[in-house]
Amino acid sequence: AQSVTQLGSHVSVSEGALVLLRCNYSSSVPPYLFWYVQYPNQGLQLLLKYTSAATLVKGINGFEAEFKKSETSFHLTKPSAHMSDAAEYFCAVSDSSASKIIFGSGTRLSIRP
Amino acid sequence: NAGVTQTPKFRVLKTGQSMTLLCAQDMNHEYMYWYRQDPGMGLRLIHYSVGEGTTAKGEVPDGYNVSRLKKQNFLLGLESAAPSQTSVYFCASSSGTGAFFGQGTRLTVV
């Protein structure tokens, strides 16, 4: 069975600081991995995805994530936080057929002025 | 291009009532999903479909039924609503490399 664990339900950083949101996955087969962002009262938007190509994946809004098989991790980073990055972020995993997508419990990102 | 459209956006039900949530996608995606979102629990998969005429159980299927009679539509049914089903429900569709989500349906069961 596949699962993801997001460490930290709430992360707060200062504007301009590094953003690091942690995600660890469990999968018995090579996984597809995703990060989604959700702004208040909206649906989820795909930030980036790993589908077994390059291990460093670049997404929208300056975010990137690195797939580390040895650590079963797929952490999301952004070098410099912006106020508009405040949202909830979800890590998700599926198998290569993408027939079932399982989400983590989410991390709420707050940005301090 | 509408993407994924959910109907209705809001609904209040009395305990024991039934209802159907409709999801429609215009991207010709094979895969469709229904999730519920509750505070602190992320999104939990209720049921999903890998193609027209097929459905499968997800993580929390009890109390829900689904149907995928047409490729573009995925219906979620509550036969006898319970307060524990108060949630925000999201539909999504995918071609296999990332899902597109609807705007959600906020359901309250009183």
Side-chain angles (χ1 to χ4, degrees):
Chain A
Q2 296 171 306
S3 66
V4 289
T5 301
Q6 292 185 241
L7 300 174
S9 59
H10 182 212
V11 171
S12 179
V13 302
S14 298
E15 191 174 17
L18 171 72
V19 174
L20 171 61
L21 304 182
R22 300 179 187 274
C23 172
N24 288 90
Y25 71 91
S26 173
S27 178
S28 57
V29 298
Y32 285 359
L33 293 161
F34 311 90
W35 276 99
Y36 288 83
V37 61
Q38 184 181 33
Y39 298 102
N41 299 314
Q42 293 189 24
L44 278 74
Q45 179 183 4
L46 182 65
L47 268 180
L48 50 81
K49 60 187 177 185
Y50 166 78
T51 56
S52 75
T55 56
L56 182 62
V57 181
K58 294 186 183 300
I60 62 172
N61 301 337
F63 285 94
E64 62 181 36
E66 185 172 8
F67 172 69
K68 291 187 176 180
K69 184 177 179 180
S70 61
E71 299 177 8
T72 61
S73 69
F74 191 58
H75 301 332
L76 181 71
T77 61
K78 182 173 180 178
S80 178
H82 192 274
M83 295 300 290
S84 61
D85 294 328
E88 187 144 23
Y89 292 80
F90 293 93
C91 182
V93 64
S94 74
D95 60 28
S96 56
S97 71
S99 60
K100 192 188 322 189
I101 304 176
I102 302 299
F103 282 79
S105 56
T107 297
R108 183 165 61 90
L109 176 65
S110 299
I111 311 297
R112 302 187 299 270
Chain B
N1 192 343
V4 179
T5 303
Q6 292 183 231
T7 315
K9 291 183 171 50
F10 302 93
R11 185 73 185 268
V12 178
L13 282 180
K14 293 183 178 179
T15 298
Q17 287 185 319
S18 63
M19 78 163 295
T20 299
L21 282 68
L22 172 64
C23 178
Q25 54 100 358
D26 60 4
M27 297 172 282
N28 201 35
H29 287 166
E30 288 294 332
Y31 306 112
M32 295 189 75
Y33 312 86
W34 275 108
Y35 292 89
R36 59 178 289 173
Q37 184 177 26
D38 303 290
M41 303 189 75
L43 277 79
R44 291 181 291 170
L45 182 63
I46 303 172
H47 287 279
Y48 64 103
S49 168
V50 300
E52 180 179 321
T54 72
T55 63
K57 293 181 179 180
E59 301 169 283
V60 288
D62 293 343
Y64 305 94
N65 57 76
V66 288
S67 64
R68 184 112 181 257
L69 298 180
K70 294 182 179 181
K71 186 177 184 179
Q72 64 267 33
N73 295 337
F74 195 29
L75 279 62
L76 177 70
L78 284 72
E79 295 177 343
S80 179
S84 61
Q85 294 178 304
T86 293
S87 187
V88 180
Y89 291 85
F90 285 99
C91 176
S93 72
S94 171
S95 61
T97 56
F100 291 83
F101 281 79
Q103 291 299 297
T105 296
R106 187 173 296 274
L107 175 66
T108 302
V109 182
V110 298

